[in-house]
Amino acid sequence: MLSSIVMVLLALCVLAAGFLTLKRELISEPPVFASKKEAKEEVISLFQDRGFFYLTGIALFMQIVFKQAHLVPFDVFQAFLASSGIQSLFYLIKRKDIGLKAGLVLVVSFIFLFF
């Protein structure tokens, strides 16, 4: 029951962050790039926040350690939801503490595994 409530809250955070990002993108002017190099640098800067990949790895590692080769597709979904939910929660509150994010992903993964 607790894990279902946490899943819904994290999914709502992901939706809210997505809507805010979409709203921001629709309001802003489309970027104009003078060269391919500028466009490439812009795309690379989008992926500079590697926190999402680290958090997904931590959540998947927790699933693998505690499930011990009994993984089902739903476990991968839970790991992805834990990492993206925590990432979007921090996006909504405008903080970038990777250590706190990792700790919360561990807690949420633990909740998903045992509650």
Side-chain angles (χ1 to χ4, degrees):
M1 180 68 177
L2 179 62
S3 65
S4 299
I5 293 170
V6 172
M7 277 186 193
V8 168
L9 291 175
L10 289 175
L12 289 174
C13 286
V14 171
L15 283 173
F19 283 128
L20 286 175
T21 303
L22 177 65
K23 181 181 171 186
R24 187 176 303 137
E25 290 296 320
L26 290 174
I27 290 173
S28 69
E29 299 268 336
V32 178
F33 301 111
S35 67
K36 283 186 178 182
K37 184 178 178 183
E38 253 183 63
K40 184 179 177 182
E41 288 174 0
E42 179 68 24
V43 170
I44 289 173
S45 71
L46 289 174
F47 294 107
Q48 288 300 321
D49 184 19
R50 293 187 182 101
F52 175 73
F53 298 108
Y54 295 139
L55 295 177
T56 304
I58 290 169
L60 281 173
F61 181 73
M62 289 280 293
Q63 293 284 346
I64 290 168
V65 166
F66 287 103
K67 294 280 181 150
Q68 295 178 357
H70 299 291
L71 287 177
V72 294
F74 187 69
D75 296 331
V76 176
F77 168 74
Q78 283 182 334
F80 181 73
L81 183 62
S83 62
S84 62
I86 296 300
Q87 187 80 354
S88 62
L89 178 67
F90 276 72
Y91 173 77
L92 291 172
I93 60 174
K94 296 179 173 60
R95 294 198 55 187
K96 293 187 179 196
D97 302 330
I98 191 70
L100 187 57
K101 287 180 191 179
L104 283 174
V105 166
L106 288 173
V107 169
V108 168
S109 296
F110 185 78
I111 289 171
F112 285 165
L113 287 166
F114 297 110
F115 293 103

